[in-house]
């Protein structure tokens, strides 16, 4: 073998040994560049964990705010829970398809999904609290319009002749929903507006006879049926306690009485729930006793 070929062979063997050594060293020991990459990955993983912990913490705070809004503020103000169906609609998976690939793809997508849910809940909470604040600012006005007094003088009340709920109709004989209460009183007994309102109906309505409907705002309406006289007209503004008519026996009625309804967002509510707003505890208990006796007849 020539001297030149011998040197080349030695160099080749040296290179092979060096490369093999480098591979073995890289396998067992990190290079400076690889060590830096690992440190960067560890730092990113730590930041991701911190971010997701902040998201979970924010979600918890939002749940507390939502609970207070739904079960404290809104019941105090007498308003329904805000309904925004779009808040609960999930985004299509195509929204996240270009967010990443590889080892951390699942973490990245789950992180974005969590942030999207958080932002929708923030939007809902913001809208709901704005709604609640607006109602709170109108609380003084609300207190004047909500039906909160008796529609007739209780000293003129003979009996609560028919309750709210299903009953056997006194004229037709079949079971039918009774959407108010019947307050038996002498013909001509004054009928009062139970809250500030605007008159939306003042005339004849089948079944009701001569009837008045008041729109109190904030979703509330009241109706006063079977009247003998009406003292107001459609479009008039009335105040709580104002005489708007007289008890009568018009329409489908079996005796002199006032048919009184309370409606909230076009759904009827038991008016008895509003009778205790200007009544002593003793008088309220007496009313409940009378209602029990009426039910048992």
């Amino acid at each position: 073998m020539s001297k030149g070929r011998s040197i080349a062979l030695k160099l080749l063997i040296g290179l092979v040994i060096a490369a093999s050594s480098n591979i073995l060293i890289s396998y067992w020991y990190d290079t400076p560049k690889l060590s830096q990459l690992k440190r960067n990955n560890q730092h990113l993983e730590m930041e991701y964990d911190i971010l997701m912990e902040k998201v979970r913490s924010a979600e918890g705070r939002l749940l507390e705010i939502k609970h207070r809004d739904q079960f404290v503020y809104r019941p105090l103000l007498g308003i329904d829970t805000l309904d925004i169906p779009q808040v609960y609609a999930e985004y299509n998976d195509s929204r996240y398809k270009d967010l990443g690939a590889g080892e951390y793809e699942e973490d990245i997508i789950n992180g974005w999904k969590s942030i999207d849910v958080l932002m929708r809940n923030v939007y809902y909470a913001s809208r709901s609290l704005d709604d609640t604040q607006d109602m709170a600012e109108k609380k003084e006005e609300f207190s004047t319009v909500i039906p909160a007094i008796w529609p007739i003088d209780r000293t003129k009340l003979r009996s609560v002749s028919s309750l709210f709920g299903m009953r056997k109709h006194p004229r037709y004989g079949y079971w039918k929903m009774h959407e108010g209460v019947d307050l038996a009183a002498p013909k001509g007994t004054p009928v009062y507006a139970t809250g500030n309102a605007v008159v939306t109906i003042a005339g004849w309505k089948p079944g009701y006879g001569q009837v008045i409907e008041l729109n109190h705002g904030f979703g509330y309406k009241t109706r006063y049926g079977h009247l003998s006289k009406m003292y107001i007209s459609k479009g008039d503004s009335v105040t709580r306690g104002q005489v708007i008519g007289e008890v009568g026996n018009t329409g489908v009625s079996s005796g002199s009485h006032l048919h009184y309804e309370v409606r909230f967002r076009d759904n009827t509510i038991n008016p008895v729930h509003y009778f205790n707003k200007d009544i002593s505890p003793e008088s309220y208990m007496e009313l409940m006793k009378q209602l029990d006796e009426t039910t048992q007849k």
Side-chain angles (χ1 to χ4, degrees):
M1 181 182 294
S2 68
K3 186 175 180 179
R5 291 181 63 187
S6 176
I7 293 172
L9 181 60
K10 289 179 180 179
L11 287 173
L12 178 61
I13 292 171
L15 288 173
V16 170
I17 292 171
S20 299
S21 299
N22 187 52
I23 291 172
L24 289 171
I25 291 170
S26 298
Y27 181 80
W28 293 107
Y29 304 100
D30 290 341
T31 63
K33 185 175 182 180
L34 185 59
S35 295
Q36 184 62 43
L37 286 173
K38 285 186 175 181
R39 285 194 296 271
N40 289 343
N41 282 348
Q42 289 172 351
H43 184 70
L44 288 173
E45 288 173 357
M46 182 179 68
E47 288 188 334
Y48 174 83
D49 290 339
I50 292 172
L51 173 63
M52 296 313 298
E53 183 60 34
K54 288 182 177 180
V55 169
R56 286 189 289 271
S57 177
E59 288 174 343
R61 294 295 300 274
L62 280 172
L63 283 174
E64 292 175 6
I65 293 171
K66 185 177 180 180
H67 180 85
R68 289 200 302 272
D69 182 52
Q70 290 184 351
F71 299 104
V72 180
Y73 306 143
R74 287 179 175 269
L76 282 174
L77 295 169
I79 52 179
D80 283 349
T81 301
L82 184 66
D83 184 23
I84 309 178
Q86 296 85 349
V87 169
Y88 306 104
E90 294 186 3
Y91 290 125
N92 192 288
D93 286 341
S94 61
R95 174 182 174 86
Y96 309 101
K97 67 178 182 179
D98 298 324
L99 286 177
E103 181 181 356
Y104 297 104
E105 178 180 5
E106 185 177 352
D107 289 336
I108 293 172
I109 290 176
N110 289 337
W112 272 108
K113 285 183 177 181
S114 296
I115 291 171
D116 280 339
V117 170
L118 177 64
M119 294 310 297
R120 282 180 287 176
N121 283 330
V122 167
Y123 171 75
Y124 176 90
S126 175
R127 282 282 307 275
S128 187
L129 288 174
D130 285 346
D131 191 30
T132 305
Q133 181 180 357
D134 182 59
M135 179 63 77
E137 291 172 352
K138 296 177 179 177
K139 183 64 176 176
E140 184 176 351
E141 178 187 353
F142 177 74
S143 67
T144 65
V145 302
I146 190 170
I149 66 171
W150 282 65
I152 63 172
D153 183 348
R154 290 197 301 276
T155 63
K156 306 293 185 182
L157 180 68
R158 290 174 175 165
S159 67
V160 180
S161 57
S162 190
L163 299 172
F164 177 88
M166 294 299 295
R167 67 165 184 179
K168 192 172 184 179
H169 198 282
R171 289 280 295 273
Y172 300 136
Y174 56 79
W175 286 88
K176 186 177 185 295
M177 179 65 184
H178 187 232
E179 298 188 318
V181 292
D182 290 346
L183 306 175
K187 180 180 179 181
T189 300
V191 174
Y192 308 116
T194 54
N196 296 358
V198 174
V199 181
T200 50
I201 297 174
W204 187 272
K205 189 175 178 65
Y208 289 91
Q210 291 198 103
V211 62
I212 292 171
E213 180 182 86
L214 303 182
N215 185 347
H216 300 268
F218 298 95
Y220 282 96
K221 293 179 181 179
T222 52
R223 284 185 181 177
Y224 311 76
H226 309 307
L227 302 174
S228 59
K229 291 183 180 179
M230 296 183 292
Y231 296 139
I232 42 78
S233 302
K234 184 177 180 180
D236 289 349
S237 295
V238 298
T239 57
R240 179 180 290 151
Q242 179 178 335
V243 177
I244 58 175
E246 294 181 4
V247 171
N249 190 28
T250 58
V252 180
S253 173
S254 57
S256 178
H257 73 283
L258 173 69
H259 172 82
Y260 176 62
E261 293 180 13
V262 175
R263 293 173 173 260
F264 181 68
R265 295 185 178 176
D266 293 324
N267 294 310
T268 52
I269 304 171
N270 191 341
V272 170
H273 297 324
Y274 293 84
F275 285 169
N276 65 339
K277 295 186 180 298
D278 70 329
I279 189 173
S280 68
E282 295 77 17
S283 297
Y284 184 69
M285 293 305 296
E286 181 61 30
L287 172 65
M288 293 300 102
K289 180 180 177 182
Q290 183 184 13
L291 293 178
D292 288 339
E293 292 172 349
T294 304
T295 305
Q296 294 169 8
K297 290 180 180 179

